[in-house]
């Protein structure tokens, strides 16, 4: 972001309208699924978005944001209106960045290996913290995506359960891009089934409370299939520009 930055008033207004519209679509999807709208949280995904537009949704009452990159988040957090706002890291996390992010966010949603969990646990212990995490599942077994396969989930959870400075709060996934709502719903439904199965096993130190799934293109299908955090970026902030 080296160019001089000017606020685009039209975009600011669009972000406001988009946020309100997505918020009501989330509520309607919950009602349609016979669920309490209060049980489904809307996360504003803020990657590549300048602070002024993020603050617009925060001022409108958004209480949960998700960032992908450690550096980007640390660079803009001081400009954000973050009082009473929950911050989650949702992007792939390298072990060498763990030191910088532990203690800066309320949850790391993208834990997908014992190695990464071990490092988060070690750093959390050094800082005197317990870090809340979600385990990321690669539900479509795509090479291009992070996350562990669903078949390996329980084994990973059993190992993380032994780590005293990590608290597992649930699961996160990004399904494959699908042509139809029906197709994507099968992935969401698989995730929900697994979420319930694990919850019912009541593993020590593992809370299955959060199922984070659904993005701009598919959040209604995710809500119909039990998601309780939908992560929405472009439908709120517009198409992303990469710098
Ligand atoms: C970018 C991103 C999102 C939001 O995607 P949109 O399609 O723009 O809503 C959600 N989750 C993760 C992990 C992301 O990286």
């Amino acid at each position: 972001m080296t160019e001089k930055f000017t606020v685009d008033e039209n975009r600011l207004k669009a972000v406001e309208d988009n946020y309100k519209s997505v918020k009501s679509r989330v509520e309607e999807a919950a009602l349609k699924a016979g669920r309490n709208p209060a049980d489904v949280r809307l996360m504003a995904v803020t990657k590549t978005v300048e602070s002024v537009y993020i603050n617009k949704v925060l001022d409108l009452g958004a209480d949960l944001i998700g960032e992908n990159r450690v550096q980007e988040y640390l660079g803009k957090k001081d400009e954000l209106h973050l009082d009473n706002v929950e911050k989650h890291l949702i992007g792939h996390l390298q072990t060498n960045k763990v030191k910088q992010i532990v203690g800066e966010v309320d949850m790391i949603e993208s834990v997908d290996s014992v190695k990464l969990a071990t490092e988060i646990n070690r750093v959390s212990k050094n800082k005197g913290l317990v870090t809340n995490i979600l385990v990321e599942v690669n539900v479509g077994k795509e090479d291009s995506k992070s996350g562990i396969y669903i078949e390996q989930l329980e084994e990973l959870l059993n190992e993380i359960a032994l780590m005293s400075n990590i608290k597992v709060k649930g699961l996160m996934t990004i399904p494959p891009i699908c042509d139809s709502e029906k197709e994507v719903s099968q992935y969401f439904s698989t995730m929900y089934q697994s979420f319930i199965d694990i919850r019912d096993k009541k593993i020590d130190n593992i809370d299955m409370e959060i199922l984070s799934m659904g993005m701009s293109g598919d959040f209604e299908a995710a809500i119909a299939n039990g998601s309780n955090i939908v992560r929405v970026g472009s439908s709120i902030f517009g198409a992303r520009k990469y710098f």
Side-chain angles (χ1 to χ4, degrees):
M1 281 186 258
T2 47
E3 289 163 54
K4 186 172 179 325
F5 176 72
T6 52
V7 178
D8 177 344
E9 292 296 334
N10 291 330
R11 182 169 178 210
L12 215 46
K13 181 69 177 88
V15 166
E16 173 167 0
D17 294 346
N18 292 343
Y19 174 74
K20 290 177 178 166
S21 145
V22 169
K23 185 88 187 143
S24 58
R25 281 171 61 196
V26 168
E27 287 167 12
E28 281 161 27
L31 290 171
K32 198 172 156 214
R35 302 177 58 196
N36 181 350
D39 293 341
V40 184
R41 295 184 75 190
L42 170 59
M43 170 192 286
V45 174
T46 54
K47 61 175 177 256
T48 79
V49 179
E50 296 89 351
S51 303
V52 62
Y53 305 110
I54 303 172
N55 282 334
K56 174 51 93 178
V57 303
L58 296 176
D59 296 345
L60 287 167
D63 60 1
L64 175 59
I65 62 167
E67 268 285 345
N68 285 64
R69 299 217 177 93
V70 171
Q71 237 60 43
E72 185 184 337
Y73 175 66
L74 297 178
K76 65 190 180 190
K77 74 176 172 88
D78 290 342
E79 300 166 3
L80 300 178
H81 304 167
L82 289 175
D83 286 348
N84 303 312
V85 173
E86 222 181 291
K87 292 93 59 186
H88 291 192
L89 185 79
I90 59 174
H92 180 66
L93 177 61
Q94 291 167 297
T95 7
N96 63 6
K97 298 274 171 64
V98 168
K99 268 203 294 297
Q100 297 169 61
I101 199 67
V102 165
E104 294 288 345
V105 289
D106 301 289
M107 189 171 289
I108 299 174
E109 294 204 4
S110 43
V111 177
D112 62 357
S113 69
V114 175
K115 183 179 169 224
L116 178 58
T118 303
E119 179 63 3
I120 295 171
N121 188 52
R122 187 187 72 80
V123 172
S124 301
K125 188 169 272 171
N126 284 345
K127 295 191 181 188
L129 301 169
V130 174
T131 299
N132 290 324
I133 67 152
L134 303 183
V135 171
E136 181 174 356
V137 177
N138 184 352
V139 68
K141 298 190 166 70
E142 295 167 283
D143 291 339
S144 60
K145 290 213 167 95
S146 338
I148 62 150
Y149 289 180
I150 220 157
E151 292 80 4
Q152 305 164 328
L153 183 56
E154 227 183 297
E155 192 184 328
L156 178 62
L157 288 171
N158 284 329
E159 296 204 51
I160 300 178
L162 305 173
M163 301 181 187
S164 53
N165 291 73
I166 288 188
K167 186 81 196 170
V168 176
K169 290 289 185 184
L171 307 177
M172 185 271 252
T173 197
I174 310 173
I177 294 171
C178 295
D179 293 330
S180 69
E181 179 147 335
K182 190 165 167 238
E183 199 186 337
V184 78
S185 292
Q186 292 179 353
Y187 291 110
F188 289 142
S189 156
T190 300
M191 283 297 297
Y192 184 68
Q193 204 44 253
S194 179
F195 175 77
I196 296 298
D197 288 348
I198 293 163
R199 193 179 65 187
D200 290 349
K201 286 189 178 144
K202 300 192 193 319
I203 305 171
D204 268 355
N205 198 30
I206 304 285
D207 291 345
M208 278 291 136
E209 293 169 6
I210 297 176
L211 182 56
S212 172
M213 60 186 193
M215 318 199 322
S216 289
D218 56 19
F219 68 81
E220 278 136 334
I223 292 169
N225 286 283
S227 167
N228 52 26
I229 291 184
V230 292
R231 308 178 309 266
V232 179
S234 48
S235 284
I236 296 175
F237 296 109
R240 279 181 287 277
K241 319 178 267 184
Y242 285 92
F243 297 96

